[in-house]
Amino acid sequence: MAGLIKREDIDEVRQRTDIKEVVDGYVTLKGAGLGSYKGLCPFHDERSPSFTVRPQVGRYHCFGCGEDGDVISFVQKLDHTSFHEAVEKLAARIGYELRYEDGGTGPSREEVGKRQRLLDAHKIADEFFRAQLLTAGAAEGRKFLQQRGFDRAAADHFGVGYAPQGWDALLKHLRGRGFTDAELKLTGMFSAGGPGNQQRIYDRFRGRLIWPIRDIAGDTIGFGARKLYEDDQGPKYLNTPETTLYKKSQVLYGIDLAKRNIAKDRQLVVVEGYTDVMACHLAGIPTAVATCGTAFAADHIKIARRLLSDDGTGGEVIFTFDGDAAGQKAALRAFEEDQRFVAQTYVAVEPTGADPCDLRQTRGDAAVRELISSRRPLFEFAIRATLRRHNLDTVEGRVAALRESAPVVAQIRDAGLRPGYARELAGWLGMPIEDVTRAVAAAAKRGAPGAQASGAQGPGSQAGGAQAGGAAARSGGAGYNSTGYNSAPGSGQNAPGVAALPPSGVLPSFHRPDPRDPVASMERQALEVALQEPAMLGGAAWERFATARFATPAYQAIHDAIRATAPGFSGDAVQWVEALRQEVPEPLQPLVSELAVVPLPAHTAEAVQKYCRDILARLFELQITRVKADKLGQLQRLDAATHPEEFQQLNRELMMLEMERRSLRSDA
């Protein structure tokens, strides 16, 4: 029977798993100093990357929203699994066999979490469909692929399969693998029919070509099925319905294959169908993805922005649409979401109406690449589409077109481009530039969404706000307490990127001081060194560090935890930080993670060593200064004539302290 996983095995999985490799499956990470990586946070929408991962200590921390944790909590949150399931998933990833308390074993197939059971069923179904494509019954499916220029290798690469005709081929296969009908009903791969309680389930996909739809981590979560036979009364394309796994508003077909190229090239190409994705990839556009029966919307944009590292430093999103009315409508819907991107958005429309798959069939790979390279800004497309709705041969038509298109120009984020497109619009309308400029300015004043975006949400403002929030968090900014809440007296509002006031019960003594306080800043830096480079605290340095006093209560509490943990600790950095987190009061655990992952201001191993020595020397010098101040006070209160020996002893101690202080400066 199932049991609790042994604590030492949990520690082993945490220690052996490379957190960067896991996070890389969801977020594009870039180097941010020696041993640190940054990317756009997967837990909140941001324009400037503040999500930091430090593999050496096995932790992540977002300096924008405060989310933090280790590789286990990351998998829990992103995959929506329990702690138990996350550990088992990571253990399987590294091939580690877990042990369980009280003679227990890992959960059986029937006992695993519902999500994992669903994933298992989809994986087996995926394998089943792929195998069926090679059977005699799938001749029509293979013919379909061949007619569209896809060979066996292409089908294998994209995992294309075939659902046999009949009512229960997949049903029998999954039942034979131990799945119950109650479980199978939850997968979306089966339909139900029959009266009342006598309803029976049968295969949803029958006699169709099958594409597996995978999430960003590569797990199959649904299927798309293409009609092949004339007697099939269903729709041309039939997808998995909404399930626990499959949310079409959050799914992009091909994202598992395209994610690394999207991150590398900083380009995302959005096409309309499965075969279009295949055609683009095979033609040399490996950044193509497609939505699954829905418009490209907010949840898709969150995925895209994380992969693009959409922080205002480049990147492009290219939408391809048919040239017909439906395609134009889809492009304008995409333009409505344009303001959510910092990257430039484009549209590529084939004048003949051919989609990438048709284009590749008739004119070859080069034609697909030419289509993508012929892209033009999405806002230009939106302006021209607006003008086409009006009769520009009449005064009334031109005035109406100006009224409708001026807000579109006002939505252009780049303030440098806006005047240029105002002039273009004047030319397209045949109207004086002054009239068009006034109309655009009036649209901006009326609060056009895009005008607001260009001023308040563009790379220079919202991104800056995220950077400011991150910087404040980095330095222990004013108004932040140890849990990441704003607690500035009389501030009246939250600081950038910080949550509202904490609930009752949060310890009020752990407020962080003003970052301009040099003592608090130095104490924080010393703790960063202690957490990230504990080897620097060997020998005499440990004695000095252990006897130090910290003026900031939160920092003193962490210092106490270090003193309590370090003497009996001989593990690596991952275990070291986790042990400290367990030792400090719970409200301080996020602060420990933050101190452990914040990049040290050095870019080489030698520079890190020098920086750490300098910071520790400053801490030790501060301690000496405090002790000297105490002894000088004693000396001033002491009557030398009455207590000559004590007076001389204090003077000797002061002289020794001064010599120690000078020695620290010479060693630094």
Side-chain angles (χ1 to χ4, degrees):
M1 60 182 291
L4 295 175
I5 303 170
K6 286 184 175 291
R7 167 54 59 183
E8 55 266 35
D9 283 1
I10 295 172
D11 293 339
E12 196 71 17
V13 169
R14 182 187 289 115
Q15 181 182 350
R16 290 194 190 187
T17 304
D18 186 338
I19 188 173
K20 179 181 179 295
E21 284 188 4
V22 174
V23 174
D24 260 334
Y26 302 83
V27 179
T28 299
L29 295 174
K30 295 181 179 179
L34 191 66
S36 293
Y37 300 88
K38 267 190 175 181
L40 292 174
C41 181
F43 302 108
H44 81 290
D45 196 18
E46 62 177 357
R47 289 179 175 257
S48 180
S50 55
F51 182 77
T52 303
V53 177
R54 196 163 177 83
Q56 293 92 325
V57 297
R59 301 202 71 81
Y60 64 87
H61 182 87
C62 177
F63 291 91
C65 69
E67 280 283 354
D68 79 294
D70 60 13
V71 68
I72 299 173
S73 66
F74 184 85
V75 171
Q76 276 185 269
K77 294 170 185 175
L78 267 293
D79 287 353
H80 306 288
T81 65
S82 67
F83 178 87
H84 196 95
E85 291 167 337
V87 174
E88 290 181 334
K89 181 174 183 177
L90 292 170
R93 178 189 178 98
I94 62 174
Y96 185 84
E97 185 175 351
L98 296 170
R99 297 167 298 164
Y100 297 81
E101 300 286 359
D102 303 324
T105 61
S108 67
R109 281 191 176 274
E110 290 73 26
E111 295 168 326
V112 295
K114 186 182 296 183
R115 175 182 167 83
Q116 190 58 49
R117 283 295 279 175
L118 292 176
L119 287 173
D120 288 345
H122 279 81
K123 181 180 179 182
I124 294 169
D126 190 354
E127 294 167 350
F128 173 79
F129 289 139
R130 293 176 70 169
Q132 291 299 309
L133 185 62
L134 305 179
T135 64
E140 196 65 27
R142 294 194 297 272
K143 178 181 176 183
F144 176 94
L145 292 172
Q146 290 164 2
Q147 289 175 341
R148 283 154 181 77
F150 303 128
D151 58 15
R152 169 80 178 274
D156 287 343
H157 180 68
F158 291 93
V160 183
Y162 175 77
Q165 292 180 302
W167 297 92
D168 58 2
L170 179 62
L171 178 62
K172 287 180 178 178
H173 184 72
L174 287 173
R175 281 173 174 169
R177 298 294 292 270
F179 289 90
T180 66
D181 284 11
E183 291 175 322
L184 296 178
K185 286 179 181 178
L186 302 176
T187 65
M189 294 186 285
F190 301 92
S191 301
N197 296 331
Q198 303 300 315
Q199 283 196 341
R200 303 175 67 179
I201 62 173
Y202 55 90
D203 291 359
R204 177 179 178 84
F205 307 118
R206 305 179 305 279
R208 286 177 173 252
L209 208 56
I210 299 289
W211 281 266
I213 301 171
R214 301 185 178 113
D215 62 16
I216 196 169
D219 291 322
T220 300
I221 56 175
F223 296 96
R226 210 281 186 188
K227 176 179 176 179
L228 292 173
Y229 304 104
E230 290 298 327
D231 60 354
D232 187 336
Q233 300 302 307
K236 182 177 179 181
Y237 280 96
L238 182 65
N239 289 344
T240 294
E242 295 277 312
T243 68
T244 303
L245 293 181
Y246 181 80
K247 309 290 184 187
K248 64 182 180 180
S249 64
Q250 301 171 11
V251 172
L252 288 170
Y253 173 73
I255 195 70
D256 57 310
L257 299 174
K259 61 184 178 182
R260 297 201 180 278
N261 287 299
I262 293 169
K264 178 172 65 75
D265 299 338
R266 302 198 69 185
Q267 179 193 75
L268 177 76
V269 176
V270 182
V271 297
E272 293 193 305
Y274 308 127
T275 57
D276 293 331
V277 171
M278 295 175 70
C280 283
H281 281 241
L282 295 173
I285 310 293
T287 56
V289 299
T291 57
C292 298
T294 185
F296 192 85
D299 287 334
H300 299 128
I301 290 172
K302 289 180 182 178
I303 299 170
R305 293 194 63 244
R306 289 201 298 268
L307 289 172
L308 285 167
S309 291
D310 189 23
D311 57 5
T313 59
E316 61 181 22
V317 180
I318 304 169
F319 296 94
T320 66
F321 298 107
D322 293 342
D324 58 15
Q328 291 188 23
K329 185 177 180 181
L332 293 176
R333 279 200 305 268
F335 180 68
E336 292 172 5
E337 301 287 354
D338 171 74
Q339 302 303 321
R340 296 178 183 269
F341 285 105
V342 179
Q344 180 63 63
T345 53
Y346 297 89
V347 64
V349 177
E350 220 300 309
T352 65
D355 58 33
C357 182
D358 293 334
L359 204 57
R360 180 172 178 266
Q361 277 181 260
T362 57
R363 293 167 49 196
D365 291 346
V368 178
R369 295 193 294 270
E370 288 169 11
L371 170 65
I372 302 304
S373 64
S374 70
R375 68 196 182 281
R376 50 184 167 142
L378 186 54
F379 47 75
E380 177 187 327
F381 179 87
I383 295 169
R384 288 185 174 275
T386 301
L387 297 182
R388 280 195 292 271
R389 291 198 290 268
H390 300 276
N391 182 2
L392 302 184
D393 292 331
T394 67
V395 173
E396 293 80 5
R398 290 193 294 272
V399 171
L402 176 60
R403 286 173 180 163
E404 191 175 349
S405 57
V408 178
V409 177
Q411 290 181 58
I412 298 174
R413 291 188 305 272
D414 190 330
L417 287 177
R418 217 174 299 135
Y421 272 93
R423 286 191 294 272
E424 290 282 354
L425 178 58
W428 295 331
L429 289 170
M431 299 178 71
I433 180 62
E434 295 80 10
D435 292 351
V436 174
T437 302
R438 280 195 298 270
V440 171
K445 280 186 178 179
R446 287 195 299 270
Q452 294 172 358
S454 64
Q457 298 176 356
S461 57
Q462 185 167 340
Q467 289 167 346
R474 160 72 175 85
S475 59
Y480 292 74
N481 69 15
S482 62
T483 58
Y485 295 105
N486 180 342
S487 55
S491 65
Q493 63 179 9
N494 295 341
V498 183
L501 287 172
S504 59
V506 174
L507 300 180
S509 60
F510 291 144
H511 290 185
R512 299 189 218 177
D514 190 319
R516 293 169 295 185
D517 181 343
V519 172
S521 178
M522 187 277 303
E523 290 179 346
R524 178 188 172 93
Q525 291 168 340
L527 290 176
E528 291 171 358
V529 169
L531 266 66
Q532 297 186 35
E533 300 290 337
M536 297 296 297
L537 295 178
W542 168 251
E543 296 299 327
R544 286 172 169 168
F545 183 85
T547 57
R549 288 184 295 119
F550 284 70
T552 310
Y555 298 160
Q556 181 60 51
I558 295 175
H559 177 256
D560 291 342
I562 292 174
R563 288 194 306 161
T565 307
F569 189 76
S570 59
D572 69 354
V574 176
Q575 293 179 341
W576 162 245
V577 173
E578 182 60 26
L580 289 178
R581 277 175 48 83
Q582 299 305 318
E583 189 70 29
V584 299
E586 187 174 347
L588 287 179
Q589 290 181 353
L591 179 57
V592 171
S593 291
E594 181 181 324
L595 296 172
V597 304
V598 64
L600 300 179
H603 299 285
T604 66
E606 294 77 10
V608 167
Q609 296 293 305
K610 184 179 185 307
Y611 171 80
C612 292
R613 286 195 300 270
D614 290 347
I615 291 299
L616 292 177
R618 286 176 55 198
L619 174 70
F620 300 154
E621 184 176 351
L622 177 62
Q623 304 308 311
I624 291 171
T625 300
R626 286 173 174 165
V627 174
K628 282 182 63 179
D630 289 343
K631 292 190 179 297
L632 281 170
Q634 295 177 38
L635 196 65
Q636 291 170 356
R637 294 189 296 271
L638 192 66
D639 185 342
T642 307
H643 303 282
E645 292 183 3
E646 189 175 348
F647 185 84
Q648 290 177 6
Q649 178 62 27
L650 281 172
N651 271 302
R652 284 194 295 271
E653 290 175 359
L654 284 167
M655 185 178 299
M656 293 293 293
L657 288 169
E658 178 60 21
M659 290 174 62
E660 186 177 357
R661 187 183 70 84
R662 291 181 181 179
S663 174
L664 282 173
R665 289 196 169 185
S666 64
D667 291 342

